[in-house]
Every structure is written in structure tokens, then in C-alpha cells.
Amino acid sequence: MRHLLSLPQLASRAFSTTTRQMRNKVLERQKVFLEDNGLPVHIKGGTTDVLLYRLTMTITLAGTAFSCYWLLRASMPRGKAH
């Protein structure tokens, strides 16, 4: 029972910022995204952003093609069964 009573205290320690100081990276990231280097904003984050963008575009195009295929197939009349 004693362990259950100490659970809220342990949870607050786990999420406390006083034990681990976190560095604010917002200004560094703003510099990267505000830099005028001719890149679109969705790929300024580097290789990871480029890969995620290409994966998203691939999934979107494949889903669109798949949907169009099934819409076309559903719109065609079926042949007569023997």
C-alpha cells in the first residue's frame, strides 16, 4: 500500500524539469527555417524531412491511383454469367 501512496510523487519527479535541464532549441531551429537558401520550408529540416516528404507523396499517389482503379472497376458493367 505504501508503494501506491508514493506513486503521485514518483510521477511528478519523472516529469519534473528541475532534475534535468533541457536546452531551448527554438531559436536555433528558427534560424534554420528562416534562412533564405531557396529550399521549400517542408524540406529545410534536412535529410529526414526530405525522406518523410517523399514517403508521404508516394503513399498519397499510390492511394489516389488505387482509389481511381477501384472507382473505374466499380463503374464498369459486369459480364453476363453463364
Side-chain angles (χ1 to χ4, degrees):
M1 186 67 180
R2 182 176 36 142
H3 297 292
L4 290 176
L5 293 175
S6 66
L7 188 63
Q9 184 181 10
L10 289 173
S12 67
R13 277 192 203 148
F15 294 106
S16 175
T17 57
T18 57
T19 57
R20 291 174 278 148
Q21 291 296 321
M22 296 174 58
R23 202 167 54 104
N24 189 354
K25 298 179 186 177
V26 173
L27 291 176
E28 295 171 15
R29 299 304 291 169
Q30 278 181 342
K31 287 178 187 174
V32 170
F33 283 96
L34 292 175
E35 182 179 317
D36 188 19
N37 56 4
L39 292 174
V41 72
H42 56 273
I43 59 174
K44 280 191 178 186
T47 307
T48 306
D49 281 354
V50 171
L51 291 174
L52 286 173
Y53 174 73
R54 288 183 182 167
L55 176 68
T56 302
M57 285 297 110
T58 302
I59 291 171
T60 301
L61 290 173
T64 302
F66 192 67
S67 297
C68 289
Y69 168 76
W70 282 105
L71 282 171
L72 182 66
R73 185 167 178 199
S75 67
M76 296 292 172
R78 290 187 176 189
K80 291 186 178 183
H82 294 7

